[in-house]
Amino acid sequence: MSNDSTSATPDFLGSSTTRRQLLALAAVGGAGLATVGAASTATAAPGPGTNGEVVRLTVLGTTDLHGNVYNWDYFKNAEYDDKAHNDIGVAKASSIIKAIRAEVGAERTLTIDAGDTIQGTPLAYYYAKIDPITGGSTHPMAAAMNQVGYDAAALGNHEYNYGLETLRAFEKQLAFPLLSANSVDWNTGAPAFKPWIIKTVKLADTKAIKVGILGLVTPGVAIWDKANVEGKVKFPGIVEQAKVMVPRLKAAGADVVIVACHSGDNGKSSWGDSLPYVENASAILAEEVPGIDAVLVGHAHLEIPQRYVTNKATGKQVLLSEPYYWGMRVTRMSLDVQKVRGQWQVVHSEATLYNSNVAPEDPAVTGAVAAAHQKVLTYVNGVIGTCTQAMSAATSRYEDTSAIDFINFVQADAVKKAIAGTPEASLPVLSIAAPFNKLAAIPEGQVTIRDVAGLYIYDNTLLGIVLTGAQVKAYLEKSAEYFKPCTTTGPVAADAVTNANATPDYNYDVMGGLDADLTYDIDLAKPVGSRIVGLSYAGAEVATDARFVVAINNYRQSGGGNFPGVVTAPVVYNRQIEIRQLLIDWATANKVIDPPTFSSMDWKLVSNGSAISVTP
């Protein structure tokens, strides 16, 4: 179970009464208060072939930590807060984990994570790119998670963002294994990482209980990080690989099988038919693969306190739980095991989510990362230039803004300079960008790295592809699916016209031109697929056979969001430079950001040709 150095009752949590009060306040869903302070050994009526003894195992889980240690927003330079007043960071999650361990006994507790650990904050970026761990520095997430005392963690897709060398360096710094049964060697098909481990629970007067932990990652890595993994690592489907690995795990002696699965539970995929595997397959996994007792779900950034899926082959109920993301929640799975004909089996399972916002930060975790945190604060708050006008991304999902224009300008400018002297140098250059961060804003006056970085919160890299005029229109039609129908000119609330069919903001792309304006209206009174009206470049209608070079990010170009035409489009630029760093580098080199020089009103929402007034 948890490492000796982390399993002792932490002094900062005080008495058992204090710990129980914390857990009672933090319990937010699933089995709820019923498990708070529950006895570590349960009792149950003997069933056929049983000896009546029931032992409760506790599995604690986090997922999608994305480089968050402190409850800190590096882009705001302030404590993190949102509308629901969530807190973030593994330091707060650690306090809940250690409180539960102290209550139920560390010897019968396992702690696991379901992936996406080393990407997502300037803290994580700094130790991948500025002071990389491949050069000898320690990754703050390794330092933090070692203090928590994890038993295992699954790989997430974002673990591959910085390449295999960085991932292997991170792996070596951990005091626990990284698991991924469906990350396999390109040539041999053998697991590229440890697929599973078996942890032995030894309790007084009972036969040892062997708990298998299997790690699985969404196979989208093959698309999203193609440049980093092609020719090196392949990613079979989650269900397909589990059908191979779970029997092996059972044959190796596992009485209980837990899966840390970096894959949502809804059975949907963002890539259409680009891959023959399902992106969000956790529920299908539970249904299709016998022998699994519980699944810690990740990837989807959703809150699933407790869900049961019936396995088709055995009829048994498989427990699923997903603890939101960024350390906002901790999952507690309670598994009651009983001897059946001499072998341990799970006879009851339940789950509870705990909200980290009532927990103090674990000083052992924050202390381990304090120096790195301060170094990164200095980095992101460094002034790199000035801006002549304030730019905000707050309204970018429903109106043209200079903030998105800035991203498109820098991307297009980088691609245009890179293709100079090539056969495509004479083609007009366009660019696409999405409103990733509603809170992003660049102030008038001095501009810091964190101001610019806030515009682009992902570690995507830049490519240039060639599209025809017809493909540009089809791309924009796909993007316009983000909007709900509207037959009035308003005023209408933004939420009334955006996020149709739960389409996330990052799947709404704005397209703009570099040397001339690309202009279009999006008519929400028209049916999906026929909404782009008046598409023009430099004031002339875009011909279907026209050719453009389009600056695009690697996520989109490789199939993310399932936009048409891009995956098979000719690639004319791919230096794998991160877009966020391009923005920072441009601001650093040019010193002055002057919105009037790159911003123009290129697109608007209309209803039957008349502009729609949208309110926040």
PDB file of all heavy atoms in Angstrom, residues 526-559:
ATOM      1  N   LYS A 526     -30.303  29.568 -40.439  1.00  0.00           N
ATOM      2  CA  LYS A 526     -30.159  28.557 -41.479  1.00  0.00           C
ATOM      3  C   LYS A 526     -29.780  27.211 -40.856  1.00  0.00           C
ATOM      4  O   LYS A 526     -29.246  27.155 -39.749  1.00  0.00           O
ATOM      5  CB  LYS A 526     -29.096  28.992 -42.496  1.00  0.00           C
ATOM      6  CG  LYS A 526     -29.475  30.244 -43.281  1.00  0.00           C
ATOM      7  CD  LYS A 526     -28.434  30.583 -44.325  1.00  0.00           C
ATOM      8  CE  LYS A 526     -28.824  31.828 -45.104  1.00  0.00           C
ATOM      9  NZ  LYS A 526     -30.074  31.639 -45.872  1.00  0.00           N
ATOM     10  N   PRO A 527     -30.055  26.129 -41.575  1.00  0.00           N
ATOM     11  CA  PRO A 527     -29.751  24.802 -41.013  1.00  0.00           C
ATOM     12  C   PRO A 527     -28.248  24.548 -40.925  1.00  0.00           C
ATOM     13  O   PRO A 527     -27.459  25.150 -41.659  1.00  0.00           O
ATOM     14  CB  PRO A 527     -30.415  23.841 -42.012  1.00  0.00           C
ATOM     15  CG  PRO A 527     -30.517  24.617 -43.284  1.00  0.00           C
ATOM     16  CD  PRO A 527     -30.724  26.043 -42.883  1.00  0.00           C
ATOM     17  N   VAL A 528     -27.877  23.665 -40.012  1.00  0.00           N
ATOM     18  CA  VAL A 528     -26.482  23.259 -39.884  1.00  0.00           C
ATOM     19  C   VAL A 528     -25.988  22.749 -41.229  1.00  0.00           C
ATOM     20  O   VAL A 528     -26.671  21.986 -41.918  1.00  0.00           O
ATOM     21  CB  VAL A 528     -26.348  22.165 -38.804  1.00  0.00           C
ATOM     22  CG1 VAL A 528     -24.976  21.517 -38.861  1.00  0.00           C
ATOM     23  CG2 VAL A 528     -26.606  22.748 -37.425  1.00  0.00           C
ATOM     24  N   GLY A 529     -24.811  23.203 -41.618  1.00  0.00           N
ATOM     25  CA  GLY A 529     -24.243  22.824 -42.900  1.00  0.00           C
ATOM     26  C   GLY A 529     -24.434  23.877 -43.973  1.00  0.00           C
ATOM     27  O   GLY A 529     -23.803  23.812 -45.033  1.00  0.00           O
ATOM     28  N   SER A 530     -25.289  24.875 -43.687  1.00  0.00           N
ATOM     29  CA  SER A 530     -25.553  25.949 -44.660  1.00  0.00           C
ATOM     30  C   SER A 530     -25.519  27.314 -43.991  1.00  0.00           C
ATOM     31  O   SER A 530     -26.203  28.235 -44.402  1.00  0.00           O
ATOM     32  CB  SER A 530     -26.929  25.736 -45.314  1.00  0.00           C
ATOM     33  OG  SER A 530     -27.021  24.474 -45.924  1.00  0.00           O
ATOM     34  N   ARG A 531     -24.708  27.445 -42.972  1.00  0.00           N
ATOM     35  CA  ARG A 531     -24.721  28.668 -42.165  1.00  0.00           C
ATOM     36  C   ARG A 531     -23.701  29.714 -42.595  1.00  0.00           C
ATOM     37  O   ARG A 531     -23.844  30.883 -42.259  1.00  0.00           O
ATOM     38  CB  ARG A 531     -24.476  28.309 -40.689  1.00  0.00           C
ATOM     39  CG  ARG A 531     -25.644  27.601 -40.040  1.00  0.00           C
ATOM     40  CD  ARG A 531     -25.307  27.179 -38.621  1.00  0.00           C
ATOM     41  NE  ARG A 531     -26.516  26.898 -37.847  1.00  0.00           N
ATOM     42  CZ  ARG A 531     -26.516  26.504 -36.575  1.00  0.00           C
ATOM     43  NH1 ARG A 531     -25.356  26.335 -35.947  1.00  0.00           N
ATOM     44  NH2 ARG A 531     -27.647  26.282 -35.939  1.00  0.00           N
ATOM     45  N   ILE A 532     -22.646  29.316 -43.281  1.00  0.00           N
ATOM     46  CA  ILE A 532     -21.593  30.255 -43.662  1.00  0.00           C
ATOM     47  C   ILE A 532     -22.038  31.028 -44.902  1.00  0.00           C
ATOM     48  O   ILE A 532     -22.284  30.460 -45.965  1.00  0.00           O
ATOM     49  CB  ILE A 532     -20.266  29.527 -43.923  1.00  0.00           C
ATOM     50  CG1 ILE A 532     -19.840  28.746 -42.681  1.00  0.00           C
ATOM     51  CG2 ILE A 532     -19.188  30.529 -44.334  1.00  0.00           C
ATOM     52  CD1 ILE A 532     -19.666  29.594 -41.435  1.00  0.00           C
ATOM     53  N   VAL A 533     -22.158  32.343 -44.746  1.00  0.00           N
ATOM     54  CA  VAL A 533     -22.689  33.211 -45.796  1.00  0.00           C
ATOM     55  C   VAL A 533     -21.658  34.281 -46.130  1.00  0.00           C
ATOM     56  O   VAL A 533     -21.020  34.854 -45.238  1.00  0.00           O
ATOM     57  CB  VAL A 533     -24.003  33.887 -45.335  1.00  0.00           C
ATOM     58  CG1 VAL A 533     -24.533  34.821 -46.415  1.00  0.00           C
ATOM     59  CG2 VAL A 533     -25.051  32.842 -44.970  1.00  0.00           C
ATOM     60  N   GLY A 534     -21.497  34.551 -47.429  1.00  0.00           N
ATOM     61  CA  GLY A 534     -20.639  35.660 -47.864  1.00  0.00           C
ATOM     62  C   GLY A 534     -19.161  35.435 -47.616  1.00  0.00           C
ATOM     63  O   GLY A 534     -18.430  36.394 -47.319  1.00  0.00           O
ATOM     64  N   LEU A 535     -18.703  34.201 -47.723  1.00  0.00           N
ATOM     65  CA  LEU A 535     -17.301  33.911 -47.464  1.00  0.00           C
ATOM     66  C   LEU A 535     -16.426  34.580 -48.526  1.00  0.00           C
ATOM     67  O   LEU A 535     -16.522  34.285 -49.716  1.00  0.00           O
ATOM     68  CB  LEU A 535     -17.080  32.400 -47.478  1.00  0.00           C
ATOM     69  CG  LEU A 535     -15.644  31.919 -47.235  1.00  0.00           C
ATOM     70  CD1 LEU A 535     -15.155  32.349 -45.852  1.00  0.00           C
ATOM     71  CD2 LEU A 535     -15.562  30.391 -47.379  1.00  0.00           C
ATOM     72  N   SER A 536     -15.579  35.501 -48.074  1.00  0.00           N
ATOM     73  CA  SER A 536     -14.759  36.283 -49.003  1.00  0.00           C
ATOM     74  C   SER A 536     -13.339  36.417 -48.474  1.00  0.00           C
ATOM     75  O   SER A 536     -13.096  36.411 -47.264  1.00  0.00           O
ATOM     76  CB  SER A 536     -15.348  37.686 -49.182  1.00  0.00           C
ATOM     77  OG  SER A 536     -16.658  37.636 -49.705  1.00  0.00           O
ATOM     78  N   TYR A 537     -12.407  36.560 -49.424  1.00  0.00           N
ATOM     79  CA  TYR A 537     -11.028  36.863 -49.068  1.00  0.00           C
ATOM     80  C   TYR A 537     -10.595  38.087 -49.856  1.00  0.00           C
ATOM     81  O   TYR A 537     -10.779  38.153 -51.081  1.00  0.00           O
ATOM     82  CB  TYR A 537     -10.096  35.685 -49.389  1.00  0.00           C
ATOM     83  CG  TYR A 537      -8.649  35.989 -49.068  1.00  0.00           C
ATOM     84  CD1 TYR A 537      -8.204  35.978 -47.736  1.00  0.00           C
ATOM     85  CD2 TYR A 537      -7.733  36.317 -50.067  1.00  0.00           C
ATOM     86  CE1 TYR A 537      -6.891  36.274 -47.419  1.00  0.00           C
ATOM     87  CE2 TYR A 537      -6.419  36.614 -49.759  1.00  0.00           C
ATOM     88  CZ  TYR A 537      -6.002  36.601 -48.431  1.00  0.00           C
ATOM     89  OH  TYR A 537      -4.697  36.909 -48.125  1.00  0.00           O
ATOM     90  N   ALA A 538     -10.078  39.086 -49.175  1.00  0.00           N
ATOM     91  CA  ALA A 538      -9.678  40.359 -49.786  1.00  0.00           C
ATOM     92  C   ALA A 538     -10.839  40.988 -50.550  1.00  0.00           C
ATOM     93  O   ALA A 538     -10.651  41.606 -51.604  1.00  0.00           O
ATOM     94  CB  ALA A 538      -8.466  40.167 -50.699  1.00  0.00           C
ATOM     95  N   GLY A 539     -12.051  40.801 -50.033  1.00  0.00           N
ATOM     96  CA  GLY A 539     -13.225  41.420 -50.623  1.00  0.00           C
ATOM     97  C   GLY A 539     -13.838  40.661 -51.772  1.00  0.00           C
ATOM     98  O   GLY A 539     -14.890  41.067 -52.301  1.00  0.00           O
ATOM     99  N   ALA A 540     -13.240  39.548 -52.192  1.00  0.00           N
ATOM    100  CA  ALA A 540     -13.765  38.753 -53.313  1.00  0.00           C
ATOM    101  C   ALA A 540     -14.251  37.403 -52.802  1.00  0.00           C
ATOM    102  O   ALA A 540     -13.659  36.813 -51.884  1.00  0.00           O
ATOM    103  CB  ALA A 540     -12.693  38.551 -54.373  1.00  0.00           C
ATOM    104  N   GLU A 541     -15.326  36.917 -53.406  1.00  0.00           N
ATOM    105  CA  GLU A 541     -15.871  35.624 -53.008  1.00  0.00           C
ATOM    106  C   GLU A 541     -14.814  34.538 -53.149  1.00  0.00           C
ATOM    107  O   GLU A 541     -14.062  34.488 -54.128  1.00  0.00           O
ATOM    108  CB  GLU A 541     -17.078  35.287 -53.883  1.00  0.00           C
ATOM    109  CG  GLU A 541     -17.745  33.962 -53.520  1.00  0.00           C
ATOM    110  CD  GLU A 541     -18.944  33.646 -54.408  1.00  0.00           C
ATOM    111  OE1 GLU A 541     -19.327  34.516 -55.224  1.00  0.00           O
ATOM    112  OE2 GLU A 541     -19.477  32.527 -54.292  1.00  0.00           O
ATOM    113  N   VAL A 542     -14.752  33.665 -52.155  1.00  0.00           N
ATOM    114  CA  VAL A 542     -13.776  32.581 -52.174  1.00  0.00           C
ATOM    115  C   VAL A 542     -14.223  31.508 -53.161  1.00  0.00           C
ATOM    116  O   VAL A 542     -15.311  30.930 -53.022  1.00  0.00           O
ATOM    117  CB  VAL A 542     -13.603  31.967 -50.764  1.00  0.00           C
ATOM    118  CG1 VAL A 542     -12.752  30.703 -50.831  1.00  0.00           C
ATOM    119  CG2 VAL A 542     -12.974  32.981 -49.821  1.00  0.00           C
ATOM    120  N   ALA A 543     -13.399  31.235 -54.166  1.00  0.00           N
ATOM    121  CA  ALA A 543     -13.711  30.209 -55.159  1.00  0.00           C
ATOM    122  C   ALA A 543     -13.490  28.826 -54.555  1.00  0.00           C
ATOM    123  O   ALA A 543     -12.611  28.633 -53.713  1.00  0.00           O
ATOM    124  CB  ALA A 543     -12.835  30.389 -56.387  1.00  0.00           C
ATOM    125  N   THR A 544     -14.278  27.885 -55.010  1.00  0.00           N
ATOM    126  CA  THR A 544     -14.171  26.530 -54.448  1.00  0.00           C
ATOM    127  C   THR A 544     -12.810  25.911 -54.716  1.00  0.00           C
ATOM    128  O   THR A 544     -12.332  25.092 -53.926  1.00  0.00           O
ATOM    129  CB  THR A 544     -15.265  25.615 -55.024  1.00  0.00           C
ATOM    130  OG1 THR A 544     -15.154  25.593 -56.453  1.00  0.00           O
ATOM    131  CG2 THR A 544     -16.654  26.114 -54.622  1.00  0.00           C
ATOM    132  N   ASP A 545     -12.152  26.302 -55.841  1.00  0.00           N
ATOM    133  CA  ASP A 545     -10.871  25.702 -56.181  1.00  0.00           C
ATOM    134  C   ASP A 545      -9.683  26.563 -55.753  1.00  0.00           C
ATOM    135  O   ASP A 545      -8.535  26.258 -56.085  1.00  0.00           O
ATOM    136  CB  ASP A 545     -10.789  25.405 -57.667  1.00  0.00           C
ATOM    137  CG  ASP A 545     -10.921  26.658 -58.532  1.00  0.00           C
ATOM    138  OD1 ASP A 545     -11.278  27.731 -57.976  1.00  0.00           O
ATOM    139  OD2 ASP A 545     -10.674  26.572 -59.751  1.00  0.00           O
ATOM    140  N   ALA A 546      -9.943  27.640 -55.042  1.00  0.00           N
ATOM    141  CA  ALA A 546      -8.843  28.458 -54.524  1.00  0.00           C
ATOM    142  C   ALA A 546      -8.017  27.632 -53.552  1.00  0.00           C
ATOM    143  O   ALA A 546      -8.504  26.673 -52.952  1.00  0.00           O
ATOM    144  CB  ALA A 546      -9.397  29.703 -53.839  1.00  0.00           C
ATOM    145  N   ARG A 547      -6.754  28.004 -53.404  1.00  0.00           N
ATOM    146  CA  ARG A 547      -5.874  27.273 -52.483  1.00  0.00           C
ATOM    147  C   ARG A 547      -5.331  28.220 -51.426  1.00  0.00           C
ATOM    148  O   ARG A 547      -4.925  29.344 -51.734  1.00  0.00           O
ATOM    149  CB  ARG A 547      -4.735  26.591 -53.243  1.00  0.00           C
ATOM    150  CG  ARG A 547      -5.218  25.519 -54.208  1.00  0.00           C
ATOM    151  CD  ARG A 547      -4.076  24.966 -55.043  1.00  0.00           C
ATOM    152  NE  ARG A 547      -3.160  24.130 -54.267  1.00  0.00           N
ATOM    153  CZ  ARG A 547      -1.840  24.307 -54.200  1.00  0.00           C
ATOM    154  NH1 ARG A 547      -1.284  25.309 -54.855  1.00  0.00           N
ATOM    155  NH2 ARG A 547      -1.088  23.495 -53.486  1.00  0.00           N
ATOM    156  N   PHE A 548      -5.318  27.753 -50.195  1.00  0.00           N
ATOM    157  CA  PHE A 548      -4.830  28.537 -49.061  1.00  0.00           C
ATOM    158  C   PHE A 548      -3.899  27.675 -48.218  1.00  0.00           C
ATOM    159  O   PHE A 548      -4.107  26.472 -48.067  1.00  0.00           O
ATOM    160  CB  PHE A 548      -5.995  28.993 -48.171  1.00  0.00           C
ATOM    161  CG  PHE A 548      -6.990  29.887 -48.843  1.00  0.00           C
ATOM    162  CD1 PHE A 548      -8.106  29.354 -49.494  1.00  0.00           C
ATOM    163  CD2 PHE A 548      -6.835  31.272 -48.817  1.00  0.00           C
ATOM    164  CE1 PHE A 548      -9.041  30.178 -50.099  1.00  0.00           C
ATOM    165  CE2 PHE A 548      -7.762  32.103 -49.422  1.00  0.00           C
ATOM    166  CZ  PHE A 548      -8.865  31.555 -50.075  1.00  0.00           C
ATOM    167  N   VAL A 549      -2.906  28.315 -47.636  1.00  0.00           N
ATOM    168  CA  VAL A 549      -2.151  27.692 -46.558  1.00  0.00           C
ATOM    169  C   VAL A 549      -2.834  28.093 -45.258  1.00  0.00           C
ATOM    170  O   VAL A 549      -3.118  29.270 -45.034  1.00  0.00           O
ATOM    171  CB  VAL A 549      -0.676  28.147 -46.553  1.00  0.00           C
ATOM    172  CG1 VAL A 549       0.036  27.624 -45.295  1.00  0.00           C
ATOM    173  CG2 VAL A 549       0.038  27.654 -47.806  1.00  0.00           C
ATOM    174  N   VAL A 550      -3.116  27.120 -44.410  1.00  0.00           N
ATOM    175  CA  VAL A 550      -3.841  27.372 -43.160  1.00  0.00           C
ATOM    176  C   VAL A 550      -2.970  26.983 -41.970  1.00  0.00           C
ATOM    177  O   VAL A 550      -2.526  25.833 -41.861  1.00  0.00           O
ATOM    178  CB  VAL A 550      -5.170  26.595 -43.118  1.00  0.00           C
ATOM    179  CG1 VAL A 550      -5.926  26.896 -41.822  1.00  0.00           C
ATOM    180  CG2 VAL A 550      -6.042  26.934 -44.327  1.00  0.00           C
ATOM    181  N   ALA A 551      -2.732  27.942 -41.090  1.00  0.00           N
ATOM    182  CA  ALA A 551      -2.024  27.668 -39.843  1.00  0.00           C
ATOM    183  C   ALA A 551      -2.999  27.002 -38.877  1.00  0.00           C
ATOM    184  O   ALA A 551      -4.101  27.505 -38.642  1.00  0.00           O
ATOM    185  CB  ALA A 551      -1.489  28.966 -39.246  1.00  0.00           C
ATOM    186  N   ILE A 552      -2.601  25.875 -38.324  1.00  0.00           N
ATOM    187  CA  ILE A 552      -3.513  25.043 -37.542  1.00  0.00           C
ATOM    188  C   ILE A 552      -2.725  24.342 -36.437  1.00  0.00           C
ATOM    189  O   ILE A 552      -1.525  24.109 -36.587  1.00  0.00           O
ATOM    190  CB  ILE A 552      -4.211  24.018 -38.473  1.00  0.00           C
ATOM    191  CG1 ILE A 552      -5.387  23.317 -37.793  1.00  0.00           C
ATOM    192  CG2 ILE A 552      -3.210  23.001 -39.022  1.00  0.00           C
ATOM    193  CD1 ILE A 552      -6.248  22.503 -38.775  1.00  0.00           C
ATOM    194  N   ASN A 553      -3.377  24.026 -35.328  1.00  0.00           N
ATOM    195  CA  ASN A 553      -2.643  23.344 -34.251  1.00  0.00           C
ATOM    196  C   ASN A 553      -2.636  21.829 -34.464  1.00  0.00           C
ATOM    197  O   ASN A 553      -3.441  21.284 -35.209  1.00  0.00           O
ATOM    198  CB  ASN A 553      -3.188  23.726 -32.872  1.00  0.00           C
ATOM    199  CG  ASN A 553      -4.592  23.218 -32.612  1.00  0.00           C
ATOM    200  OD1 ASN A 553      -4.863  22.025 -32.675  1.00  0.00           O
ATOM    201  ND2 ASN A 553      -5.509  24.131 -32.305  1.00  0.00           N
ATOM    202  N   ASN A 554      -1.711  21.162 -33.794  1.00  0.00           N
ATOM    203  CA  ASN A 554      -1.532  19.726 -34.010  1.00  0.00           C
ATOM    204  C   ASN A 554      -2.735  18.910 -33.572  1.00  0.00           C
ATOM    205  O   ASN A 554      -3.064  17.882 -34.171  1.00  0.00           O
ATOM    206  CB  ASN A 554      -0.281  19.226 -33.273  1.00  0.00           C
ATOM    207  CG  ASN A 554      -0.410  19.317 -31.757  1.00  0.00           C
ATOM    208  OD1 ASN A 554      -0.645  20.386 -31.204  1.00  0.00           O
ATOM    209  ND2 ASN A 554      -0.262  18.198 -31.065  1.00  0.00           N
ATOM    210  N   TYR A 555      -3.426  19.360 -32.527  1.00  0.00           N
ATOM    211  CA  TYR A 555      -4.621  18.637 -32.072  1.00  0.00           C
ATOM    212  C   TYR A 555      -5.672  18.610 -33.167  1.00  0.00           C
ATOM    213  O   TYR A 555      -6.257  17.568 -33.468  1.00  0.00           O
ATOM    214  CB  TYR A 555      -5.170  19.309 -30.810  1.00  0.00           C
ATOM    215  CG  TYR A 555      -6.501  18.765 -30.339  1.00  0.00           C
ATOM    216  CD1 TYR A 555      -6.571  17.602 -29.581  1.00  0.00           C
ATOM    217  CD2 TYR A 555      -7.698  19.420 -30.648  1.00  0.00           C
ATOM    218  CE1 TYR A 555      -7.791  17.093 -29.151  1.00  0.00           C
ATOM    219  CE2 TYR A 555      -8.921  18.927 -30.218  1.00  0.00           C
ATOM    220  CZ  TYR A 555      -8.956  17.767 -29.474  1.00  0.00           C
ATOM    221  OH  TYR A 555     -10.168  17.274 -29.052  1.00  0.00           O
ATOM    222  N   ARG A 556      -5.903  19.759 -33.779  1.00  0.00           N
ATOM    223  CA  ARG A 556      -6.926  19.841 -34.811  1.00  0.00           C
ATOM    224  C   ARG A 556      -6.470  19.127 -36.088  1.00  0.00           C
ATOM    225  O   ARG A 556      -7.238  18.371 -36.697  1.00  0.00           O
ATOM    226  CB  ARG A 556      -7.226  21.324 -35.108  1.00  0.00           C
ATOM    227  CG  ARG A 556      -8.437  21.543 -35.960  1.00  0.00           C
ATOM    228  CD  ARG A 556      -9.731  21.174 -35.253  1.00  0.00           C
ATOM    229  NE  ARG A 556     -10.214  22.213 -34.372  1.00  0.00           N
ATOM    230  CZ  ARG A 556     -10.637  21.997 -33.130  1.00  0.00           C
ATOM    231  NH1 ARG A 556     -10.608  20.771 -32.615  1.00  0.00           N
ATOM    232  NH2 ARG A 556     -11.078  22.974 -32.376  1.00  0.00           N
ATOM    233  N   GLN A 557      -5.235  19.347 -36.488  1.00  0.00           N
ATOM    234  CA  GLN A 557      -4.741  18.756 -37.735  1.00  0.00           C
ATOM    235  C   GLN A 557      -4.729  17.236 -37.682  1.00  0.00           C
ATOM    236  O   GLN A 557      -4.924  16.569 -38.701  1.00  0.00           O
ATOM    237  CB  GLN A 557      -3.324  19.283 -38.024  1.00  0.00           C
ATOM    238  CG  GLN A 557      -2.729  18.794 -39.350  1.00  0.00           C
ATOM    239  CD  GLN A 557      -2.022  17.456 -39.244  1.00  0.00           C
ATOM    240  OE1 GLN A 557      -1.594  17.046 -38.159  1.00  0.00           O
ATOM    241  NE2 GLN A 557      -1.907  16.761 -40.377  1.00  0.00           N
ATOM    242  N   SER A 558      -4.539  16.696 -36.491  1.00  0.00           N
ATOM    243  CA  SER A 558      -4.461  15.240 -36.374  1.00  0.00           C
ATOM    244  C   SER A 558      -5.821  14.584 -36.148  1.00  0.00           C
ATOM    245  O   SER A 558      -5.903  13.383 -35.927  1.00  0.00           O
ATOM    246  CB  SER A 558      -3.503  14.860 -35.247  1.00  0.00           C
ATOM    247  OG  SER A 558      -3.920  15.423 -34.026  1.00  0.00           O
ATOM    248  N   GLY A 559      -6.902  15.364 -36.203  1.00  0.00           N
ATOM    249  CA  GLY A 559      -8.235  14.784 -36.127  1.00  0.00           C
ATOM    250  C   GLY A 559      -9.049  15.180 -34.924  1.00  0.00           C
ATOM    251  O   GLY A 559     -10.227  14.826 -34.832  1.00  0.00           O
TER     252      GLY A 559
END
